[in-house]
Amino acid sequence: MTDTPHPDTVLIVDFGSQVTQLIARRVREAGVYSEIVPFQSAEEGFERLKPKAVILSGGPGSVPEEGSPRAPEIVFQSGLPVLGICYGQQTMAAQLGGSVESGHHREFGRAFMTVDAPSPLFEGVWSVGEQHQVWMSHGDRVTQLPDGFEVIGSSPNAPLAATADEARRYYAVQFHPEVVHTPDGAKLLSNFVHKIAGLKGDWTMAAYKDQAIAAIREQVGDGKVICGLSGGVDSSVAALLIHEAIGDQLTCILVDHGLMRLNEAAQVVDMFREHYNIPLVHVDASDTFLDALEGENDPETKRKTIGRLFIDVFEAEATKLGGADFLAQGTLYPDVIESVSFTGGPSVTIKSHHNVGGLPERMNMKLVEPLRELFKDEVRALGRELGLPEQFIGRHPFPGPGLALRCPGGVTRDKLDILRQADAIYLDEIRKAGLYDAIWQAFAVLLPVQTVGVMGDGRTYEFVCALRAVTSVDGMTADFYHFDMAFLGQAATRIINEVRGINRVVYDVTSKPPGTIEWE
Ligand code: XMP
């Protein structure tokens, strides 16, 4: 990602485990910069990043199988400390002269490992003779250790659960220290990077901020940058950071598509223009969007229409400003980690996500993506470093196509008004109950269904509002939030009493999968 390597970097060679990202997270939490590189390009990643230590991830492959992935030899020739995890442990054993067997050794889930020998990997965490919970997930296992290795931990099903060649600073574990089900795993990874690799742990957000500002100045020179602002935390932090780097060379554009939440556009304008004094163009394009959406029921057509118009409006505004050399985007690290694909097959499109892709080529702009090395919580920490108020930092994600996705069936101005009010009340109740931060995302959905009700002795025939709240780590999977019924009753009562047009409220108890978080 970077042209100038960070001084202390840990290279994580990805063999395709579902949890490789967690290794990077744990290393960064220990204050050490880390990057993930797929095994196919690990040699090139090694040259580029000049790491001080290497971690080999787990993966679905099987080492005894012909053609299964290997770590590049440079990893072992370099003299650097290496930690192999699961598949990484097995390929390490095979590459260093040991052997690995397939079959008959499947083991998934919780296991208890006995500490057999002292090691810097366990220092201050585990002592000899103790038993500790670890998380196993493997089908193969190492049957013969390479020369120089000895067993430092074992479990009934994995006699070589943890092994080490202390002289060469090689460590290999069958279990996954990166997952929370290995409760002390983060401490072991911290020992690996600090005690074994001797890295300082000075990768903090304050340091990152200075480095990122210098990198933006170098990339942009005296060029002009435009940035699309949505009010979401990613674009807000990107804009603040770039503004701190290059001041008025940055102009932000807020395209109000008429699908934002109650007072949202005004809050963003106030924040950036008034509070930070950042040049901001506020384009009210709601008529363009809402006219185009009229009568459109199909979710994909709605998404595509919004995406296309967004680019048109954004481009027109950028042209009015006299064009720009760069487009800033709040792309995050999970979006750019190259995934390890074993099948190479195309994956199905569940939803067309909205972004401004395509615009840079059309307008001959280069991209500035100052957050592309960061995970979401690191972006939040950077936002705090830049003085962004908590109310922006902790915000639930909001999709680019906005409330259109929360108005199944046709979108109309009237329905949007009703939805905005219901949504604001629901979020107000959530905040008042102190639940906002415990929930990944919460919102109201206005169903295209009317039902009969009775209010004040009169008959009503109004819309149904569905409430949604989920917990999630990355939005890829989610569970519905288990509210107390009294809370839901209170939110429903307020919505029905205060919002004209809704006479019934239901709660969505679908997880993802099989549902998605948004309704469209
Ligand atoms: P789904 O509905 O696919 O959503 O489970 C997962 C997460 O992504 C958000 N989302 C979007 N974000 N542009 C965005 O920027 C989009 O087009 C978009 N669609 C869904 C959704 O709100 C949830 O957080």
Side-chain angles (χ1 to χ4, degrees):
M1 303 308 113
T2 35
D3 294 332
T4 337
H6 292 262
D8 279 352
T9 295
V10 172
L11 171 70
I12 298 165
V13 179
D14 185 14
F15 289 106
S17 156
Q18 300 288 318
V19 289
T20 302
Q21 282 197 25
L22 292 180
I23 307 175
R25 305 291 310 268
R26 299 285 106 86
V27 171
R28 289 178 179 206
E29 281 159 19
V32 176
Y33 184 71
S34 64
E35 269 195 35
I36 300 171
V37 177
F39 69 88
Q40 296 96 327
S41 51
E43 183 155 355
E44 180 210 312
F46 190 97
E47 307 286 355
R48 177 172 58 87
L49 294 165
K50 306 195 175 20
K52 299 273 174 63
V54 178
I55 299 179
L56 309 177
S57 87
S62 175
V63 166
E65 239 167 59
E66 178 101 17
S68 56
R70 293 286 176 271
E73 278 306 316
I74 189 159
V75 167
F76 302 113
Q77 288 158 2
S78 64
L80 294 178
V82 181
L83 171 65
I85 296 173
C86 198
Y87 184 90
Q89 174 222 29
Q90 292 151 17
T91 190
M92 193 169 167
Q95 290 182 256
L96 295 172
S99 42
V100 178
E101 264 182 24
S102 284
H104 317 298
H105 303 298
R106 291 162 65 81
E107 188 181 19
F108 295 94
R110 185 178 292 115
F112 286 88
M113 191 191 84
T114 305
V115 179
D116 296 318
S119 165
L121 192 63
F122 303 149
E123 205 179 302
V125 190
W126 293 345
S127 306
V128 175
E130 289 177 356
Q131 277 206 335
H132 292 281
Q133 181 182 319
V134 295
W135 195 258
M136 297 280 191
S137 173
H138 62 100
D140 300 345
R141 73 180 184 195
V142 175
T143 48
Q144 195 201 322
L145 289 177
D147 286 347
F149 274 79
E150 52 180 315
V151 178
I152 55 174
S154 54
S155 76
N157 279 320
L160 309 181
T163 63
D165 176 341
E166 305 282 1
R168 289 191 285 180
R169 296 185 296 170
Y170 287 166
Y171 297 82
V173 293
Q174 180 69 84
F175 62 89
H176 286 269
E178 68 276 29
V179 304
V180 291
H181 310 290
T182 300
D184 293 322
K187 291 184 197 148
L188 304 186
L189 286 165
S190 169
N191 274 352
F192 177 69
V193 296
H194 296 306
K195 300 216 158 79
I196 294 164
L199 306 180
K200 286 197 290 286
D202 53 4
W203 194 73
T204 60
M205 269 307 138
Y208 180 82
K209 185 183 112 182
D210 294 342
Q211 198 181 26
I213 286 174
I216 293 166
R217 285 187 184 141
E218 197 185 314
Q219 185 192 0
V220 170
D222 53 11
K224 273 170 48 178
V225 183
I226 49 173
C227 177
L229 264 193
S230 64
V233 66
D234 304 342
S235 61
S236 299
V237 172
L240 283 189
L241 184 68
I242 295 171
H243 187 251
E244 195 146 325
I246 58 165
D248 287 356
Q249 285 166 256
L250 169 75
T251 305
C252 293
I253 302 178
L254 170 67
V255 177
D256 183 351
H257 46 21
L259 301 162
M260 295 176 88
R261 288 165 293 186
L262 196 66
N263 300 329
E264 193 163 25
Q267 279 168 11
V268 175
V269 172
D270 187 55
M271 172 83 185
F272 283 84
R273 208 187 267 162
E274 312 303 331
H275 186 82
Y276 279 106
N277 219 356
I278 297 179
L280 169 67
V281 180
H282 175 201
V283 198
D284 181 358
S286 45
D287 285 339
T288 312
F289 282 84
L290 299 182
D291 290 347
L293 287 173
E294 204 173 307
E296 187 50 67
N297 290 314
D298 178 63
E300 273 301 287
T301 314
K302 280 159 82 174
R303 279 177 169 272
K304 291 201 172 121
T305 305
I306 295 166
R308 176 174 50 77
L309 289 178
F310 191 91
I311 291 180
D312 289 349
V313 173
F314 197 86
E315 182 179 21
E317 290 305 316
T319 310
K320 277 193 214 156
L321 291 169
D325 309 287
F326 296 90
L327 174 71
Q329 280 192 339
T331 315
L332 303 192
Y333 192 42
D335 307 325
V336 298
I337 296 174
E338 275 178 75
S339 55
V340 170
S341 166
F342 286 95
T343 59
S347 53
V348 291
T349 302
I350 308 290
K351 298 176 183 186
S352 308
H353 270 224
H354 156 105
N355 59 39
V356 285
L359 195 63
E361 296 85 65
R362 229 160 90 173
M363 291 192 62
N364 200 14
M365 287 185 290
K366 292 185 230 55
L367 283 176
V368 189
E369 298 179 303
L371 311 181
R372 55 184 285 137
E373 296 177 353
L374 305 182
F375 288 104
K376 187 92 177 182
D377 56 334
E378 293 172 330
V379 171
R380 294 196 163 117
L382 180 58
R384 286 191 186 100
E385 203 58 52
L386 290 160
L388 191 67
E390 274 311 309
Q391 153 217 356
F392 269 79
I393 285 173
R395 275 198 170 180
H396 291 174
F398 186 64
L403 298 182
L405 310 180
R406 300 175 180 175
C407 249
V411 176
T412 65
R413 289 171 176 79
D414 287 347
K415 281 189 183 175
L416 289 170
D417 276 344
I418 296 173
L419 175 58
R420 270 192 200 99
Q421 292 174 54
D423 188 72
I425 294 171
Y426 179 43
L427 268 294
D428 182 48
E429 286 296 318
I430 287 177
R431 283 207 178 83
K432 283 205 295 215
L435 298 174
Y436 190 85
D437 293 336
I439 294 171
W440 159 268
Q441 204 171 4
F443 52 87
V445 179
L446 191 72
L447 305 194
V449 174
Q450 284 168 289
T451 66
V452 174
V454 52
M455 278 174 101
D457 296 332
R459 177 187 194 268
T460 59
Y461 188 58
E462 292 176 347
F463 288 115
V464 181
C465 170
L467 301 181
R468 180 100 168 114
V470 295
T471 53
S472 177
V473 175
D474 51 14
M476 302 297 288
T477 58
D479 190 11
F480 71 88
Y481 188 75
H482 295 237
F483 280 120
D484 192 280
M485 278 297 163
F487 171 87
L488 285 174
Q490 160 74 8
T493 305
R494 265 198 71 193
I495 290 170
I496 294 166
N497 284 348
E498 294 175 35
V499 183
R500 274 284 182 82
I502 293 175
N503 69 355
R504 192 176 295 268
V505 172
V506 297
Y507 187 56
D508 179 355
V509 291
T510 319
S511 295
K512 172 182 180 176
T516 54
I517 296 175
E518 302 289 345
W519 277 42
E520 291 195 335

